[in-house]
Amino acid sequence: MTSQEVRTQFLNFFKEKNHTIVPSAPMVMRDDPTLMFTNAGMNQFKEFFLGNSVPKSKRVTDTQKCLRVSGKHNDLEEVGKDTYHHTMFEMLGNWSFGDYFKKEAIQWAWELLTEVYKIDKDILYVSVFEGSDDDKLEMDQEAYDLWKAIVPEDRIIMGNKKDNFWEMGDQGPCGPCSEIHVDLRSKEEKAKVPGASLVNQDDPLVVEIWNLVFIQYNRKANGSLEDLPEKHIDTGMGFERLCMALQGVKSNYDTDVFTPLIREVETITGKKYGKNEETDIAIRVVADHIRAVSFAIADGQLPSNTGAGYVIRRILRRAIRYGFTFLDTKQPFIYRLVKVLSESMGKAFPELPKNHQLIENVIKEEENSFLSTLEQGLVLLDSVIASSKSKTIAGEKAFELYDTFGFPIDLTSLILEEKGYQLDVEGFEKALKAQKDRSRAASEVSKDDWTVLQQDSEQEFVGYDTLEAKVKLVKYRKVTSKKEGDQYQLVFNLTPFYAEGGGQVGDKGYLEAPNGDVVYIVDTKKENNEIVHFAEELPKDVSETFKAVVDKEERFYTACNHTATHLLHQALREILGTHVEQKGSSVHAKHLRFDFSHFSKMTSEELSAVENFVNARIEGQLPFEEHRNIPINQAMEQGAMALFGEKYGDTVRTVRFGQSIELCGGTHVKNTADIWHFKIVSEGAVAAGIRRIEAITSEAAKEFFFKNNQMLFEIKGLLNTSQDPVKAVASLQEENNALKKQVEQLLKDKAKGLKNDLIAELEEINGIRFLAKKVDLDAGGIKDLAFEMGGQVTNLFLLLAAENEGKAVLSCYISKELASNKGLNAGNIVRELGKHIQGGGGGQPFFATAGGKNPDGIPAALANAKEIVLATT
Ligand code: ATP
Ligand code: MG
């Protein structure tokens, strides 16, 4: 059975059981402060489990793109080393939101595996939660009894809290689970060791394929559990592992999900898979990581230096260095796998073929830059080795390489080993831990439990229509973080405050109690589909009805920028072409930022054309037309622009200004005329194939023009001419260049005259042609002069002094023959004479310079020089 068929059969099976098939949510989380990446199928349904919103359908099924490389679920270090953990994988799932529970979940899972997929019952094991003293929980008898009715009791294994109690994070919905494991070993192996003893023992052929989670508790901040009002089913089956079981192979990498990628790696690198363990690991790492990185980029997450982008960069770098070390790839090659990946998965995930070119470009650029970092690191490592007195290299040195160059520690120790050196691993780990502790301490956040004032209150956002509303507090909690200090999170029954999302910042404003007390709202964000307001203090009486007021000015300017962003998007597609796709935006009151795919720098003509296009629509006074809650299909038919990597519900809101129609939840102006004017302030590259425009509108644009005008006015004043200022500046520049040339020539002539004068002044003392004199030159001028005189006059002893900006300089020149015949040393002499000017210096026997802070000592130094010469014989 091909992997395509495996996926389709799963979805169809549950469709027949009245489940709605829904699309995978993006793998990269947006606007969720609690998670960077989707790490389980249930993430996109969190709000239903928490009871924050009501699902349209109580039974749902899908395949979800998951990434487990950070936080509670982090498999990164296993990937490649074993054959059944991936960074990015698909999780097939079926869900019940307060509908069916354990009985159906267990029966259907069994039916699907044994009757539809026809997996031999004898190779399956199931597990049941044994209970936990910490949580005062009994064993899951209900699940045990249900399983007992289907499978022999010796195939039911009792599992501990680690394996059989599923939790999304430190807080939130959770519950006991039953896992289903397959034993893929040979007959002989099975006869030797019973499969039951290998379940959950990290055997690569006895692996968990499906986890049925029975969500019935909520984990509170203090660690205790409370019953959820409703019980839910959340199941997750590893798609790649299921394919392994169904395709009769012994590794996920031998399924048709991975073989096309592995063949391509073999072709590119000339290495064969299955011959050598080290090479195999490297090939698996590359075949795995290309998926994670490509899907992330398709979801709009580019590699970068912070947050989710940094995680993606690290995954890609892990693949690059495995290639570099074990596959001898010194040139970019990973990007060449994108084509094969896109061909094999593009049907199920159209975002791959759609973004194919972009993904290739971004990966190639990352590869190039990291490969050159690796080379630089190698050079540095060589110098560390060269300067090391012992055969053990200090851990801090390796940490420095790791920290500033991203130079991986295993590579460092490998290279050291090859050269007969060792690494102080302990020292490295100490330095690493110290850094981790520092950053953890800085980002530590602790959240209290919510204090709930009103149960079951569905929240309403009224901020499209009004900026002021009477609100009641539904719940609140305190959040303590080292970075932000103490804050209170407040949730209201309704709110005019817009929560950060779709690139637009959250509203600020205040709450006013009936007695006039005011609490400021400093930010608004969405969490689990609730609008959470951040305040620095808690209102004194939380049971009051408050007047919630949004900062109108900020909101208006933000709206100007948001509407301008839509017009800009339209302009770019019109002027540059429809390959332009939004790759990120950030809309503030003061400015807007828009990232988009495009392969070259925009010319100044293109930039003006874009500005003109947008400004024409501002002048055209286009009215705001909005449709709330229309079915997504209808919106798409009207030509609305949807963005990859955004999560849209079944119903959406469309925002239209003239021909610009977008799916958008943001706030906008009533008429484009409100924007007044649109001005681009910068255009540049963010990554290969991604450009960024920063622009301003409204007041900020007025200020920009005002300042520029003011500057021009001042420039005209300075130029003091009735001429066009551009022409005036150009002619000033011309004049300036001519003057510069004249000055240079004059200085040359002056130096020549001075040289001749000084030669005429030379005195003959003891066979030495001597002169000590103060001149009006800088140190460089003195040096040039001394060497020119030295070239012309033999047996020369010259001491030239100068005073510049309150400081004294002495330079001594002694012809080489004098220096050796008479034992004179210019370095020693200036050091001696330097005392007169309260300074010091040095140099070579034939030329040396001293600087000092006492110009008044110059005459004494000159006299002293003569004494020295007089004293020679
Ligand atoms: P394991 O113990 O094997 O790491 P898990 O307990 O972390 O699995 P769950 O969180 O229950 O797994 O996820 C549900 C299913 O997703 C698992 O039964 C498995 O088939 C699959 N799965 C989990 N992690 C990975 C991974 N890193 N790569 C591929 N599949 C995975
Ligand atoms: Mg795991």
Side-chain angles (χ1 to χ4, degrees), residues 39 68 73 75 79 84-91 163 166 179-180 200 208-211 213 236-241 252:
N39 62 20
R68 292 197 168 180
H73 292 284
D75 294 333
V79 174
Y84 58 105
H85 278 98
H86 302 295
T87 53
M88 180 265 166
F89 64 98
E90 283 179 65
M91 200 186 276
D163 292 318
W166 202 91
E179 301 168 339
I180 303 175
N200 276 333
E208 175 191 331
I209 53 168
W210 202 348
N211 194 356
V213 185
M237 173 145 64
F239 169 66
E240 299 77 7
R241 292 187 193 177
N252 286 4

Side-chain angles (χ1 to χ4, degrees), residues 119 165 519 525 541 557 581 583 749:
I119 298 180
F165 196 86
V519 165
K525 289 186 179 162
D541 182 354
Y557 295 137
E581 248 175 43
K583 290 292 164 199
D749 294 350

Side-chain angles (χ1 to χ4, degrees), residues 786-802:
F787 277 81
E788 274 192 34
M789 283 177 71
Q792 222 171 313
V793 180
T794 51
N795 290 327
L796 178 68
F797 183 115
L798 193 62
L799 184 79
L800 294 177

